[in-house]
Amino acid sequence: MSDIDAHPEAVSPQQQLTADYMRMAGHRSNVHGLVEVDVTDTRERIRTIAEETGTKLSFTAFIVFCLATTVAEQPHVQRYRDWRGRIHDFEDVDVNVLIERETDGERIGVPHVIRRANEQSVRSIHDEIRRVKAGGMDRPEPGLARVARRLPGVLRRQIWRLPQWFPTRWKRLAGSVAITSVGMFGTGSGWAISPTNYTLQLTVGGIGTKPRLIDGELRSREFLSLTVTFDHDVVDGAPATRFVQRLGERLEAGHGLDTVSAE
């Protein structure tokens, strides 16, 4: 038989933009922390809420809420430094989150910015995510993306320098912090490490079961794998460590879930 004919498939515009983003983000001074958080009690509380209210609460919404409230408490982790060396501070926490949607029979992650997430409740964030998943908040493709697709590669990639050039414009376009998830596409524990253009990005991995010593007794617990990525040019190690510790405390304690049933 003859050699199998190759049928090269063109790279989609979205894949090209993603490749450009990853290439440019790799030049930043990113520092990654791999964290495990015991979410056993939190997940049990979410199951209880589903039984009480009939609503299966989005675990992503809960993570967004905990991240936003922790950033609001320690806003230095969403600072940006522009090309002139000036520091830009933001009060509102706009979270760019990857939301799973089904398109043409395929599950894909769609970026969506949850504005002022620090002023919302877990339930309101949950409702917004559900609307996006259902296609109820579709918006026209940003003009920046349309223009980028027509540019040569060397110019197209410069667009992803926007956070360093004009941080305020970047926040309006893509949010101030980001959450991306690989756990939504599989099962089991594990971390993912990715470059990012954000000062702070949370990469949500899988959930695995392992023993933990509690009150002198080994018990089976559910642990969430998280990768917390900081831009070390803006955030130093000690503040980053305090932020991660506080975020972990909120995730383990089920922060914000007590108000869901009342809402």
Side-chain angles (χ1 to χ4, degrees):
M1 296 179 61
S2 60
D3 293 338
I4 298 176
D5 293 334
H7 297 283
E9 183 177 339
V11 176
S12 71
Q14 183 62 43
Q15 289 174 321
Q16 184 61 65
L17 289 176
T18 300
D20 292 338
Y21 174 87
M22 299 293 283
R23 182 173 178 179
M24 300 309 295
H27 295 292
R28 295 171 67 95
S29 302
N30 290 328
V31 175
H32 309 280
L34 306 182
V35 184
E36 281 189 322
V37 180
D38 186 342
V39 293
T40 309
D41 297 336
T42 295
R43 282 164 61 85
E44 179 60 32
R45 177 61 183 142
I46 290 175
R47 286 189 286 266
T48 301
I49 291 173
E51 295 172 358
E52 293 174 348
T53 66
T55 299
K56 186 178 180 181
L57 195 66
S58 166
F59 191 63
T60 299
F62 165 69
I63 295 177
V64 170
F65 176 81
C66 289
L67 176 66
T69 53
T70 309
V71 172
E73 184 181 86
Q74 304 180 38
H76 55 274
V77 297
Q78 65 168 357
R79 287 175 175 172
Y80 285 81
R81 188 190 303 273
D82 67 16
W83 63 280
R84 297 174 62 182
R86 298 175 301 182
I87 295 295
H88 293 250
D89 290 292
F90 302 111
E91 292 183 6
D92 296 334
V93 184
D94 295 341
V95 183
N96 190 315
V97 59
L98 200 62
I99 299 175
E100 183 185 23
R101 286 179 59 175
E102 186 169 325
T103 303
D104 297 329
E106 181 180 358
R107 295 165 61 192
I108 61 173
V110 177
H112 172 76
V113 179
I114 299 176
R115 302 292 179 182
R116 296 183 178 180
N118 55 305
E119 298 179 5
Q120 296 198 47
S121 65
V122 179
R123 183 55 190 263
S124 65
I125 295 172
H126 163 87
D127 291 340
E128 182 171 335
I129 288 175
R130 285 293 176 261
R131 289 194 295 270
V132 175
K133 288 192 69 170
M137 297 184 69
D138 284 340
R139 290 174 294 178
E141 180 186 39
L144 181 62
R146 290 198 300 271
V147 173
R149 293 177 179 182
R150 300 187 179 97
L151 295 175
V154 65
L155 296 178
R156 188 178 61 239
R157 285 187 286 273
Q158 300 311 308
I159 290 176
W160 299 120
R161 292 189 182 275
L162 195 61
Q164 292 86 25
W165 291 345
F166 307 106
T168 301
R169 190 170 298 176
W170 170 257
K171 179 178 180 293
R172 287 199 300 265
L173 175 71
S176 56
V177 297
I179 294 179
T180 184
S181 177
V182 295
M184 68 170 64
F185 299 110
T187 58
S189 61
W191 293 269
I193 296 177
S194 171
T196 179
N197 260 345
Y198 292 87
T199 300
L200 167 63
Q201 175 173 292
L202 193 65
T203 303
V204 182
I207 296 177
T209 302
K210 63 173 58 178
R212 182 181 185 181
L213 190 63
I214 300 177
D215 297 329
E217 180 182 351
L218 278 178
R219 301 180 185 178
S220 180
R221 307 289 288 180
E222 296 175 302
F223 285 87
L224 173 67
S225 300
L226 292 177
T227 304
V228 188
T229 303
F230 294 97
D231 182 353
H232 201 275
D233 289 341
V234 183
V235 182
D236 291 331
T241 300
R242 289 192 291 270
F243 175 84
V244 172
Q245 181 177 357
R246 183 61 174 145
L247 175 62
E249 290 171 354
R250 283 194 159 106
L251 292 170
E252 288 200 5
H255 180 62
L257 294 180
D258 290 339
T259 63
V260 174
S261 297
E263 290 177 325

